[in-house]
Amino acid sequence: MPSPDVAQANALIGIDLGTSNSAVSLWQDGQAILLPNAEGDHLTPSVVGVDDHGQFIVGQAAKLRLQSHPQLTAASFKRQMGADYTFHLGQNKLRPEELSALLLQQLKADAERYLGYGVSDAIITVPAYFNNVQRQAVKTAGRIAGLNVIRLLNEPTAASLAYGLLNNTQQKYLTFDLGGGTFDVSVIDMFEGVIEVRASCGDIFLGGDDFTRQIYQWMLQVHPLSSPEASELSARLTLLAEKMKCDLTFSAHARAQLVWQGQTYEWQLNETLLAEICEELLNRLKKPVLQALRDARFSSDELDHVLLVGGATRMPLVRQAVTRMFGHFPRTELNPDEAVALGAGIQAGMVLMDQAVEDIILTDVMPYSLGIGVARQNNESIEGGYFLPLIERNSFVPVSTVQRVNTVYDHQQQVDVHIYQGEARKVAENILLGQLNLPVPRRKAGEVSIDIRFTYTLDGILEVECRLPDSDQVTSMIIERVPGQMSEEEIHASLLKLAAMKQHPREYQENKLLLAQGAQLYERCLAEERTTLDAYISYFELALDSQNVRRIATTRDELKAAIAHFSDERL
């Protein structure tokens, strides 16, 4: 643990808010380091649940209950960020931002435990293809968690930072980032200490979870199972599908067995069959790669390296697909689960202007086009609904641009500027981000001009300004609530909800995890083993209720020893 003086100078943390796992990093002594959580691990499962006492649990303790208590546990909620979606955990109704805030609170607490004092500032990574609403949702989650999110950093860009500093030479490379729930591609040109992101593309609904889901569907095809207890069956099948997927990373064959309603079902899976099952997903990996290369005006032959990032790239099936795509083996020297978090830590060092990275310049791009809806003259009529891009996708950020437009109707009193994100020709196929209303003088059509300025910041936030030429009249964009975006009232309510949580010893992550491990082992034990383990768990629960620190420490060690003993006996 660093001394307070050293840590205080590096109090900005970097957070990889992942779909499957999350991590927190820090710039310290000229390098990025990953901080351990309460269990001593660098990765915290991105899972939130409710325990038997109605308290929220986060991380490994919650993940242990995914199979046994699926109705009380939520995972992969990152995919719903920015959507008007509600998760039900028992009696609790939570938005994706609130679940992410609970996860961020835990990561914040882990950092504070390491540092020995409070942390308020953070850099959080996001998929490069997250739109403006989704990015705002991440910032909202940080705000609810008590964090000042000073910058959002694209995940492939973060990984590029981690790899780029390993060999500070001129090179061109592509970052292939396939995580649990999202897929991102970035093409990077590095020269003379400049890391220039030339293009980004991606698919926010493609990741390791989808490969698991394909295996899950195949399992049901092999053995058509149906039951009124669908949630429990689904959770168990998903766990078996995930295990077979992971087993194929280290073995040529994988096997799963399920005992359900008195019958035993078995599945056998190999790499060839997995490729057939996941053929559609493998094909979907190609489109963002080709788009990014096209936008960067690079050919695959010009790339010096392909970097694999994200836990799903551990799959031999994916690595083989990447090798075939580029004709050479990708680089894998960094832990794919940790590269993004390390890059966030390096970005923190750059923000802090540490001497070790002061000569590194990072440029990034906006992965999608931003523009407004306009009308066009078609023969004798005026037809609206067309998209006019002001900032083209993969423009370098920060960027600011101005576009002049004119009124289309006689005696207009107001111009309604609708802001969109997307690539389609018609605005109906793009995403509406907001609307700005500008009063204008009543004149004939085309006689009034409006200058519309779009400014896109480093953390992916869009600012819009409308001005009448030769006038002091300026209207700045005020984004009205769009579907999926939390209102100020909802954010305030979430802040009160989390602030009202009492810090009881039962809520400490170490204690929650130990109780979850004990409960899981209890289900596997029988007879005297079960009775004895139950006694240790009960003693520990009584100690937690007493809130006596010494008694809690003693009974915790006793329960740990009992769990280790019975676990060894069952091997």
Side-chain angles (χ1 to χ4, degrees), residues 176-418:
F176 187 99
D177 184 357
L178 184 65
T182 59
F183 176 46
D184 276 321
V185 177
S186 285
V187 178
I188 296 97
D189 190 4
M190 184 172 181
F191 54 93
E192 297 178 354
V194 176
I195 300 177
E196 183 178 271
V197 181
R198 296 289 296 270
S200 289
C201 194
D203 187 335
I204 62 172
F205 291 103
L206 178 60
D209 290 350
D210 298 282
F211 286 85
T212 300
R213 193 170 293 110
Q214 289 295 101
I215 298 173
Y216 172 97
Q217 295 295 339
W218 165 78
M219 293 171 73
L220 288 178
Q221 291 175 5
V222 174
H223 296 297
L225 296 166
S226 61
S227 169
E229 304 168 276
S231 61
E232 181 184 349
L233 175 61
S234 177
R236 292 177 65 179
L237 286 175
T238 299
L239 191 67
L240 290 174
E242 177 71 18
K243 185 177 185 303
M244 282 198 289
K245 183 185 75 174
C246 294
D247 287 347
L248 284 176
T249 301
F250 308 102
S251 175
H253 301 275
R255 174 178 173 273
Q257 185 179 83
L258 172 71
V259 178
W260 182 254
Q261 296 183 339
Q263 295 189 47
T264 300
Y265 302 91
E266 290 191 1
W267 294 268
Q268 300 281 347
L269 187 62
N270 58 39
E271 197 72 33
T272 302
L273 182 54
L274 180 62
E276 294 177 9
I277 294 169
C278 299
E279 182 180 3
E280 179 190 354
L281 299 179
L282 294 172
N283 289 332
R284 283 175 60 187
L285 292 173
K286 298 176 183 178
K287 183 178 179 181
V289 171
L290 295 175
Q291 184 67 63
L293 287 171
R294 190 179 301 114
D295 287 351
R297 294 177 173 81
F298 281 6
S299 70
S300 58
D301 294 337
E302 294 180 79
L303 298 175
D304 298 300
H305 309 286
V306 176
L307 317 179
L308 291 191
V309 181
T313 61
R314 295 181 186 276
M315 298 171 59
L317 188 69
V318 172
R319 296 195 174 191
Q320 292 164 13
V322 174
T323 301
R324 287 194 297 270
M325 220 180 287
F326 295 98
H328 57 84
F329 292 106
R331 286 175 62 178
T332 58
E333 60 263 40
L334 286 183
N335 184 327
D337 290 308
E338 299 177 352
V340 170
L342 288 172
I346 294 171
Q347 177 70 67
M350 296 173 73
V351 171
L352 294 168
M353 299 185 69
D354 190 284
Q355 290 185 349
V357 290
E358 64 180 0
D359 293 331
I360 300 296
I361 299 172
L362 171 66
T363 70
D364 210 338
V365 294
M366 183 183 59
Y368 42 76
S369 297
L370 295 170
I372 60 174
V374 296
R376 293 180 181 175
Q377 183 82 36
N378 289 328
N379 297 322
E380 299 299 322
S381 64
I382 296 176
E383 182 181 352
Y386 288 93
F387 181 57
L388 174 64
L390 270 73
I391 300 178
E392 298 281 2
R393 70 170 183 266
N394 289 316
S395 298
F396 290 112
V397 294
V399 59
S400 184
T401 185
V402 176
Q403 176 74 46
R404 179 165 291 186
V405 296
N406 299 306
T407 54
V408 293
Y409 299 108
D410 291 337
H411 310 303
Q412 276 185 247
Q413 299 183 59
Q414 178 175 289
V415 171
D416 299 329
V417 180
H418 293 81

